[in-house]
Amino acid sequence: GSSLTFTYDPANPCPTVGGANLEIGGLKDGPCDQREVSSRPDVLKFATDALTEPVEITGQVKVKLYVSSDAPDTDFTAKLIDIYPDGRETLMLDNIQRVKFRKGFEKAELLPVGEVGELTIDLWSISLIVNTGHKIGVQISSSNYPRFEKNPNSGDDFPTDENLRVAKNTVHMDKTHPSAILLPIRPK
């Protein structure tokens, strides 16, 4: 099957650029251009072709991923991006999901190394018209720090100087593992 693997190093997490955070300590907030971080090797980028007519997205947006890792635990992040004709990658929504809590927060359930698990990243809701000539983009990684605390990949809840380890994380995309963004497209 088709899959993409990247290396997530919690000692070098993907930095936060915008989003629903407060502008504290120089941290940018809001719909910022993601190009300064999206070319990192730990970010997977997907996009539609340029739209031939406007598309209205209204409602709850989710990203369903089929994932595996060589680490005891890790996170997956997702961003909904409005890609402008000039190349700007404007962040519209973002969120994170810890693999061991993929079935809920009542009980941690580690995903055995190498096994494929399904998880959903809830990007919450939006009402947005993506205009003609724009592309709808999705960016997947395993960190968006400091907006979200970095996962040490060790199975521990919080990072310390001692428990950080590198993870090789894979997103699976084939008939049996149909990773996708679920967009509430409003008909014309």
Side-chain angles (χ1 to χ4, degrees), residues 96 109 156:
I96 192 167
E109 190 175 319
D156 296 334

Side-chain angles (χ1 to χ4, degrees), residues 1-4 170-174 177:
S2 177
S3 65
L4 291 171
T170 301
V171 175
H172 299 267
M173 303 164 290
D174 55 39
H177 306 106

Side-chain angles (χ1 to χ4, degrees), residues 14-25:
C14 187
T16 297
V17 180
N21 33 272
L22 300 174
E23 197 168 328
I24 300 173

Side-chain angles (χ1 to χ4, degrees), residues 146-160:
R147 174 157 156 66
F148 300 106
E149 181 60 89
K150 55 194 172 191
N151 191 317
N153 297 328
S154 59
D156 296 334
D157 289 330
F158 300 103
T160 65

Side-chain angles (χ1 to χ4, degrees), residues 53-64:
E53 57 185 24
V55 171
E56 180 181 337
I57 302 168
T58 296
Q60 190 175 21
V61 178
K62 294 181 177 182
V63 173
K64 182 178 284 193

